Structure formats: structure tokens, C-alpha cells
Amino acid sequence: MNGEFSVLALKALDSLSLRAEATAHNIANAGTPGYRPVSVSFEKALAEAATRGGEALSAFTPHVEQSRPPLGSDTLRLDLELQTATATTGRYAAILEVLDRQVQLQALALTGGK
């Protein structure tokens, strides 16, 4: 497995984990008056770091940001938060599957298919 690919995958997993925490925080505080939801947007910044190489990729850190409810709404939409939670879980699982397949291929290569 390529070293930069491993770092990229781990950074993506860390970022998705932070997004899941932020989403859970939003859902838990949905009924709190004056609560401002948080979000984690990292895909573009992570992709840019990946194009700059291993050092930039290693230095990448996702950030939690204050977000605003959708236009025309002053409350948090639980349906959108649940959609985010579902998408985040799916992406996390997909990256784990890719990493698992990489490990399986390496094991196969080392054992000669035996």
C-alpha cells in the first residue's frame, strides 16, 4: 500500500469521524433554543493537500465550523442531519472496505496466493 494513500485514507477517516461527532452534536441539541449547528467540510481541502504531496497531507487537519440552518428556516432540520449521518457512515464504511482489500492483496502477494 502506497504511503501517501494510507495517510490520505486515514485523514479521510479522521475527518469523517469528526463529521459524525458534529452531526451527533447537532442532533442532540436540535431542540436547544439559539443553538447554532456545526459542520465539518473537508473534502476540497483534503484533495488539495493530496495534490501537494505527503508533507501537506500529513499536516492536514479537519475543522469544525459553525453553520447556518437552510435559508428560510431558523431551526435545525433533523432530516438533513440524519441524511448527513447516513452519508458519512456510508463513506466511512467504503474507505474501510478499500483499506481491507488493500491489506488482503498485500497478504496474498506475501503468501503467493497460498
Side-chain angles (χ1 to χ4, degrees), residues 1-7 9 98-103 106:
M1 187 172 348
N2 175 326
E4 283 188 22
F5 174 78
S6 297
V7 173
V98 169
L99 290 173
D100 182 53
R101 300 251 173 141
Q102 288 289 329
V103 170
Q106 286 179 344

Side-chain angles (χ1 to χ4, degrees), residues 2 7 17 26 37 46 50 53 58 62-63 69 79-80 84 86 99 113:
N2 175 326
V7 173
S17 180
N26 289 342
L46 184 57
S58 293
H63 299 284
D79 61 331
L80 295 179
T84 298
T86 301
L99 290 173

Side-chain angles (χ1 to χ4, degrees), residues 11 18 20 33 45 51 53-55 65 71 79 82 95-96 110-112:
K11 291 294 184 173
L18 186 60
T51 62
E55 200 170 303
E65 305 164 344
L71 290 176
D79 61 331
L82 292 173
I95 293 170
L96 287 180
L110 289 173
T111 62

Side-chain angles (χ1 to χ4, degrees), residues 63-74:
H63 299 284
V64 176
E65 305 164 344
Q66 290 286 322
S67 61
R68 298 174 187 252
L71 290 176
S73 172
D74 59 348

Side-chain angles (χ1 to χ4, degrees), residues 30-48:
T32 305
Y35 175 73
R36 291 200 46 206
V38 293
S39 64
V40 177
S41 298
F42 66 90
E43 289 87 345
K44 183 177 179 183
L46 184 57
E48 288 173 4

